[in-house]
Amino acid sequence: ALPVIGALRARGFEPLLAARPNILFFLKSVETGCDVLEAPGGGLSGLWNGSYFYSAAAKASPDSAVLMPNSWSSAYHAWRAGVPMRVGAAFRPFRRFFLTFAVSRRKYQSFPHQAQRYLSLLEPFGITPPADAGDIGMRLRPTGDAVKAAAVFALSQRYAVIAPEAAYGPAKEWPLERYGEVARGLASNGMAVVCVGQGGWRGGGEEIASVPGVIDLGGKTDMLSFVGVLAGAKVFVGNDSGAAHVAAALGVPTVVTVSYTHLTLPTKRIV
């Protein structure tokens, strides 16, 4: 989503971000330079409990809404909020009814990189996705509160972060013993290794914890301190997960192990 924000700013727009609570926590941990609204949740509960969002959106009075989620509800909420121009991909049944500009599914999926797909939604603004998805993002900085929250761990000036978990489980997780090998290699080169995640590693966690010098922060960080820890890392190694996206957004050199669930990445970026 960051390239969309950067592209709109370059054209003189002042983006207003609407995000659900789980994303809102992250947005409040980084400096986006944008105002943020809490968006209604999905499902029926979101449909019935969106009045606070409609009121806030009406007060902000945006000219247009770029709907990056492909959900039916995101288009519905923008329509209910009275946003004049509503742009999105025509994926879900009846979604097109709530859009004033719909990008066809075929065109949207013709781009291999998700950032390119999101940028294709900016066609009404005269913005087209670049042919090469090499580096089309913008970089974020942690807030002062995030830096302070991470300071309690008293980490060294030179450390790597390893995130061995993924929300979708084994399908996207590199074996923990392999991460143990990475940790040993980093430690042997004089770099401290910080392990982050929910903790209670699913089998084989001792492969990482047993490496001398590893700092296990699994289950010990909240969103603020997590962002602060990532921002201070010299390198990040992890699965295709939320942690990897956050590290990349913060401009941390990032190595991601990609499973068979993602085969459309630009090949020159695959290790």
Side-chain angles (χ1 to χ4, degrees):
L2 293 180
V4 171
I5 299 173
L8 288 173
R9 276 183 174 165
R11 293 296 181 98
F13 292 94
E14 297 181 6
L16 171 68
L17 308 181
R20 293 179 180 178
N22 59 329
I23 303 298
L24 203 63
F25 290 136
F26 167 66
L27 292 176
K28 291 183 177 180
S29 302
V30 294
E31 296 179 356
T32 62
C34 302
D35 290 330
V36 182
L37 296 179
E38 181 177 339
L44 292 177
S45 62
L47 296 180
W48 295 114
N49 299 312
S51 58
Y52 66 91
F53 172 72
Y54 307 142
S55 175
K59 185 176 181 180
S61 188
D63 299 314
S64 54
V66 179
L67 304 168
M68 286 176 273
N70 291 323
S71 63
W72 177 90
S73 60
S74 63
Y76 170 80
H77 290 309
W79 173 74
R80 277 290 308 274
V83 181
M85 183 167 73
R86 303 173 298 278
V87 185
F91 267 67
R92 306 293 181 184
F94 306 111
R95 190 173 197 249
R96 188 183 290 269
F97 172 81
F98 300 108
L99 301 175
T100 58
F101 187 95
V103 176
S104 71
R105 183 168 188 163
R106 173 178 291 184
K107 180 176 182 179
Y108 185 82
Q109 292 186 323
S110 68
F111 298 100
H113 197 287
Q114 189 63 50
Q116 291 172 304
R117 293 177 179 182
Y118 283 160
L119 284 168
S120 72
L121 301 178
L122 302 185
E123 183 179 337
F125 306 96
I127 300 171
T128 56
D132 183 2
D135 186 11
I136 54 180
M138 58 180 281
R139 298 291 179 254
L140 297 177
R141 293 184 300 172
T143 62
D145 288 340
V147 174
K148 290 178 182 178
V152 302
F153 300 118
L155 300 175
S156 70
Q157 294 297 313
R158 189 170 182 267
Y159 64 88
V161 168
I162 289 181
E165 295 179 313
Y168 290 98
K172 289 200 171 188
E173 289 181 342
W174 206 35
L176 282 170
E177 58 270 20
R178 299 290 182 84
Y179 281 112
E181 294 174 14
V182 172
R184 279 188 287 273
L186 291 168
S188 67
N189 282 278
M191 183 173 286
V193 178
V194 178
C195 195
V196 298
Q198 295 182 3
W201 318 113
R202 287 188 287 266
E206 65 279 359
E207 294 290 343
I208 301 176
S210 63
V211 177
V214 165
I215 303 168
D216 186 1
L217 296 186
K220 300 176 184 177
T221 58
D222 56 13
M223 180 57 75
L224 269 177
S225 57
F226 177 71
V227 168
V229 167
L230 282 183
K234 298 300 181 184
V235 65
F236 170 91
V237 183
N239 300 303
D240 178 19
S241 63
H245 288 279
V246 173
L250 291 168
V252 178
T254 302
V255 179
V256 178
T257 59
V258 180
S259 72
Y260 58 84
T261 61
H262 259 67
L263 298 177
T264 57
L265 292 172
T267 53
K268 71 175 184 178
R269 296 180 70 90
I270 293 178
V271 177

